[in-house]
Amino acid sequence: MTKVYVPRDMAALAVGAKRVLAAIEKEAAARGEAIQIVRNGSRGLLWLEPLVEVETPEGRIGYGNVKPSDVPSLFDAGFLRGGAHPLSIGKVEEHPYWAKQTRVTFERVGVIDPVNLDDYVAHGGGQGLAKAFEIGPAKVIEEVTKSGLRGRGGAGFPAGIKWKTVADAPADRRYVVTNADEGDSGTFADRMVMEGDPFVLIEGMTICGYAIGASKGFIYLRAEYPQCAEVLTEALEAARKAGWLGPNVRGSGFAFDIELRIGAGAYVCGEETSLLESLEGKRGIVRAKPPLPAHVGFMSRPTVVNNVLTLATAPAILAKGGEYYASLGVGRSRGTMPLQIAGNVKFGGLYETPFGLTLGEIVNDIGGGSLSGRPVRAVQCGGPLGAYVPPSLFDTPFDYEAFQKHDSLIGHGGLVVFDDTVDMAQMARFGMEFCAIESCGKCTPCRIGSTRGVETIDRIVEGVDVEANIELLSDLCHTMKFGSLCALGGFAPYPVESALRHYPEDFRKATLPAAAE
Amino acid sequence: MSGAVPWNEARAQEIIDAHLGLEGPALPILHAIQEEFGYVPEAAVPQIAQSLNISRAEMHGVVSFYHDFRRAPAGRHVLKLCRAESCQSMGSEKIAKDFLERVKLEWGGTANDGSLTVEAVYCLGLCAHSPGALYDNEPIGRVDAEMLDELAAEARNS
Ligand SMILES: Cc1cc2nc3c(=O)[nH]c(=O)nc-3n(C[C@H](O)[C@H](O)[C@H](O)COP(=O)(O)O)c2cc1C
Ligand code: SF4
Ligand code: FES
């Protein structure tokens, strides 16, 4: 029976994967062709979704941007045997967008059936945990430390050190919490892992639990990902059934289980202490640090809070060795980063690669420039708290420290491309507005400052006392940066300041003489 | 989003009780209440508070903190339009503004015939297919005016 892959990834569904699946099933039945449908995750070649793949003796042949109306002609062309068709992209694994990646965290995403544990194991899944059980908790932490893996949620804190802190904290119980709140605009890597290879997150959390001495884990998933919740629920169920979760994980004697929790539409609940409050059933108000969650976390117990990608990378680090992972990357940015190329861009998708490519290579060579075909004017890196970077800085290598040098950040690896129709004063205004909408309200610079920021930008745009108001806005940014408790208020100024710095003309349109057209 | 049942205190208590074994059960309870009744009725707040042994004011604070908990029923269908940066880079703000004008609604508003509620969201993880939307939890990418008009029409007729 021919295997036909039709992704269940949310982005593929958003462009019609379900209708394509129905059309394929109907056509196959009408023609008496026996097929086996596999609902895989996405390969990350998102601009080609729905990307239908057919397994042939030569490998998996892909057909991109399939519409239901294309399906009869695909059958006519013999696509079940990999036949030629205008939508064919040939062997998916030879497509340059795939072939040039270094897939570590995303090794199996798009490749396997996400909720089939046998498929997971057949593609190398489970080896990391087996290794962990073999070497013991202390060596696991050593291996993760050696790998140089830094937290992928934004702050870039070394994962091994966090795990060690929790392991060393005296306690009657400890917890592992996956931060799956993924609220940054331009990011979808967490979602793609969870939809395309949920067992790798389950395995990563189990490894972490084993290393730190926790028997309970939570996944705090944002409410905006309902399809993802379905996949995770199926996977957790399958893992329990197979004894990969429960009182005796894979016969090791180690007890561990995971509970899925759904957020309720608050961006600030991605901040780890706000997340913990929310998990405990309270308002998502940020806690002052110290104490760190590593000492006083969920239910006041030592808790590892890690991003999805951080935990999902642990199995590969254990299976392949910390040294292998550390051999990739540049400077203090070790390993790979799953880049998310988004916005007004031709080849939007997920691209995992070692740190060190330049921003220009990512946006122009991999992303293909803007979708509109107009010149790229700005790239927002690292979500709503990240700076806008102009093409003049496109030689900046993708690396935590190099970005910091320009007052910008890598964050969760999202890159949002804008063409030259963007109005940067409006983007700066939105940055402040978003902060005002999502502020938890605990500190004044964030809660009030952001609203003042919106008003001040409005005055600037209207042409009222422009220079004085720009100075006021800069002061306000300064106050927010240094007077806010968490990075929502503390980093919201970065997009604003970068817009002011790199695109001064957009703030002075009302007063500058109209340019000669 | 139909399927919601009218408020029923006994049913609410069943839902609450089913979650009391969880560590930090408040959000799972609120989600389940909203799933059942279509919103979090005022009467549910003291009831949950009592079961969790916290003050009514505290519970109120929890419900009001989160954008997703409704204090009143929504329309029969809910359309969430993304307003975050990536979608803005593809013209989402103008598409949304024009649409809201055509259907005579403001953000968060419900059509007079109860067919549709339109809400803002900030990123749906569909940023490679911006502008993104969710219609009754079904994701939609590359949203344009025509698609939105079709959805509004479908909402009116179902
Ligand atoms: C406002 C705000 C929102 C955040 N949102 C997220 C998020 O959605 N996902 C995430 O993993 N980290 C987020 N973080 C970072 C977390 O606080 C924390 O650093 C992270 O979960 C730690 O995991 P890591 O070390 O694996 O990165 C956010 C931080 C702030 C200040
Ligand atoms: S900076 Fe803003 S979000 Fe962070 S704690 Fe203060 S008020 Fe809350
Ligand atoms: S910004 Fe709209 S879907 Fe991500």
Side-chain angles (χ1 to χ4, degrees), chain A residues 321-334:
Chain A
E323 253 150 45
Y324 162 75
Y325 195 74
S327 73
L328 305 166
V330 289
R332 288 175 47 220
S333 305
R334 308 314 314 173

Side-chain angles (χ1 to χ4, degrees), chain A residues 184-187, chain B residues 82-87 122-127 130-132:
Chain A
D184 289 0
S185 167
T187 66
Chain B
C82 178
R83 300 190 70 184
E85 289 91 340
S86 172
C87 289
Y122 296 92
C123 195
L124 295 163
L126 300 173
C127 330
S130 286

